[in-house]
Amino acid sequence: MRIKHSKYRNTGLIYELLVKQIAADVLENKESKAIKILKKYYSGTSTLAKEYKLYEFVVKNNSVSQAKAETIISTITEVSRKFNQKTLKNQKYQLISEIKENYNIEEFFSVEVRDYKALASLYCLLEAQNNADLVDPNFLVNNKTTLLEHLTSKKQNEKDVKDSLIEQYSKYDKDLKLLTFKILLEKFNDKYKDLLPEQKNILKEFITSVNSSKKLYSLVNKELKKISEEVEKLSKKVTDDIVKIKLDEVAKSIKPLAKTDKVTDSHLVNLMQYYDLVNELKKL
């Protein structure tokens, strides 16, 4: 999936628009309600104010080295993961509601902002980082490319950006995160265009659960048990005695992980193959 940019939820963009609104109100000798809104939501230690600091850091940095730009993006996305997303969503809703009460919302968002592309790209990366759904890696590459070009003021090589994303993902887990992201990159390049829904789901779960070893361990065992039962049940429909015997052996060989086992890339590969087997048996 692709994350759609929302002006109404982009903390950095709304800040820039509020500043422009204040300037417009002052020029017209009007009391600016935007000043009160800006102070209320963008100062202090609220989650929204903290998120804005991430946007501000990106906007204020340009012509930095490639290494520093990479560090800025990885640090910002990591910090974003620590925010309470429910609280942040509520604060954004309240912010937009207050803007609507005082201004024509369509006119407010129609004003051009200089760093719009960078702000939009950062929004999409942060949303993708905190989204449980499977996000198209090429979408991540495109948005990271835009951010890197803003930060370095240099044209970026797409392959280098892909490599840096893979390296970033590999930091979460040396084997697992690297493998799953590589598979996803190839999948969205049509090499894995025929993945089954169950396979897509397990890939998503491996990514979103990778930092919780207990959760991932429980998930893999649950899937292994389900697949074993499914193979055993479906094998009863097979009329060929030799094939039936082999399927029974396969079902018995699908065993849950031991308490001392660590989930690795081989478990992912096995699950993907087991799903293919179940799918073929269902066709019989």
Side-chain angles (χ1 to χ4, degrees):
M1 68 168 287
R2 287 174 175 260
I3 304 293
K4 187 176 180 181
H5 176 239
S6 171
K7 293 180 179 180
Y8 297 91
R9 294 182 183 142
N10 189 318
T11 308
L13 177 64
I14 296 172
Y15 177 90
E16 297 296 331
L17 290 171
L18 283 169
V19 170
K20 285 180 175 288
Q21 186 63 57
I22 292 169
D25 291 341
V26 170
L27 287 172
E28 294 179 14
N29 293 316
K30 290 165 54 178
E31 181 186 355
S32 182
K33 299 290 180 65
I35 295 176
K36 183 181 177 182
I37 296 172
L38 196 68
K39 288 181 177 178
K40 180 177 178 180
Y41 291 95
Y42 286 88
S43 61
T45 58
S46 70
T47 307
L48 190 148
K50 289 178 181 177
E51 186 186 59
Y52 165 65
K53 291 296 181 182
L54 305 182
Y55 285 92
E56 182 184 40
F57 196 78
V58 167
V59 170
K60 289 186 175 181
N61 279 276
N62 51 57
S63 299
V64 302
S65 68
Q66 186 73 24
K68 185 173 181 180
E70 291 282 359
T71 301
I72 288 172
I73 294 175
S74 62
T75 301
I76 282 174
T77 51
E78 186 61 32
V79 170
S80 172
R81 289 162 60 87
K82 298 176 182 178
F83 292 154
N84 185 310
Q85 295 303 311
K86 185 177 180 181
T87 299
L88 185 58
K89 184 179 179 181
N90 289 336
Q91 290 173 359
K92 288 181 181 182
Y93 176 80
Q94 292 168 15
L95 170 61
I96 289 299
S97 297
E98 200 154 333
I99 292 173
K100 283 181 178 179
E101 289 174 8
N102 294 281
Y103 297 99
N104 181 303
I105 199 72
E106 290 184 6
E107 289 181 7
F108 180 84
F109 279 103
S110 66
V111 178
E112 290 187 8
V113 173
R114 186 183 63 179
D115 295 310
Y116 178 84
K117 284 182 69 177
L119 292 169
S121 293
L122 180 55
Y123 169 87
C124 291
L125 279 184
L126 297 184
E127 286 294 303
Q129 182 79 10
N130 296 294
N131 196 304
D133 293 326
L134 204 61
V135 179
D136 182 346
N138 289 314
F139 170 80
L140 297 179
V141 170
N142 291 339
N143 282 286
K144 184 171 182 180
T145 298
T146 300
L147 270 184
L148 285 171
E149 289 178 349
H150 166 81
L151 290 166
T152 63
S153 300
K154 292 179 182 178
K155 188 75 177 172
Q156 297 291 309
N157 180 286
E158 186 177 316
K159 183 181 181 301
D160 290 340
V161 177
K162 279 186 179 181
D163 290 343
S164 70
L165 272 170
I166 290 174
E167 183 181 353
Q168 181 182 341
Y169 265 68
S170 69
K171 290 176 183 177
Y172 296 118
D173 186 285
K174 211 166 191 178
D175 301 316
L176 197 56
K177 202 75 168 184
L178 182 59
L179 174 74
T180 51
F181 198 75
K182 279 183 176 177
I183 290 175
L184 286 172
L185 278 174
E186 291 177 329
K187 185 264 173 187
F188 283 103
N189 283 328
D190 291 334
K191 186 171 181 180
Y192 290 94
K193 62 183 178 181
D194 297 322
L195 283 178
L196 297 166
E198 296 88 352
Q199 291 172 321
K200 291 179 183 178
N201 183 62
I202 200 66
L203 278 173
K204 180 195 77 173
E205 292 298 334
F206 262 66
I207 289 173
T208 58
S209 304
V210 75
N211 288 325
S212 175
S213 56
K214 288 184 178 179
K215 181 180 177 182
L216 193 55
Y217 176 90
S218 298
L219 170 70
V220 171
N221 270 349
K222 179 182 175 183
E223 290 301 302
L224 287 172
K225 182 182 178 182
K226 185 168 71 175
I227 290 170
S228 178
E229 291 173 352
E230 193 79 11
V231 171
E232 192 174 349
K233 183 176 75 174
L234 291 169
S235 67
K236 294 176 181 178
K237 297 181 180 180
V238 178
T239 55
D240 189 303
D241 290 337
I242 296 176
V243 174
K244 187 177 177 65
I245 291 170
K246 288 183 177 181
L247 285 174
D248 288 338
E249 290 175 354
V250 169
K252 291 176 182 177
S253 70
I254 303 174
K255 298 178 180 179
L257 302 178
K259 290 183 178 180
T260 55
D261 286 343
K262 178 185 176 183
V263 181
T264 65
D265 54 0
S266 63
H267 295 113
L268 172 61
V269 173
N270 287 339
L271 280 170
M272 299 290 275
Q273 292 174 341
Y274 291 149
Y275 284 128
D276 278 330
L277 173 62
V278 170
N279 185 55
E280 290 302 316
L281 288 172
K282 286 180 178 179
K283 293 177 182 179
L284 296 176

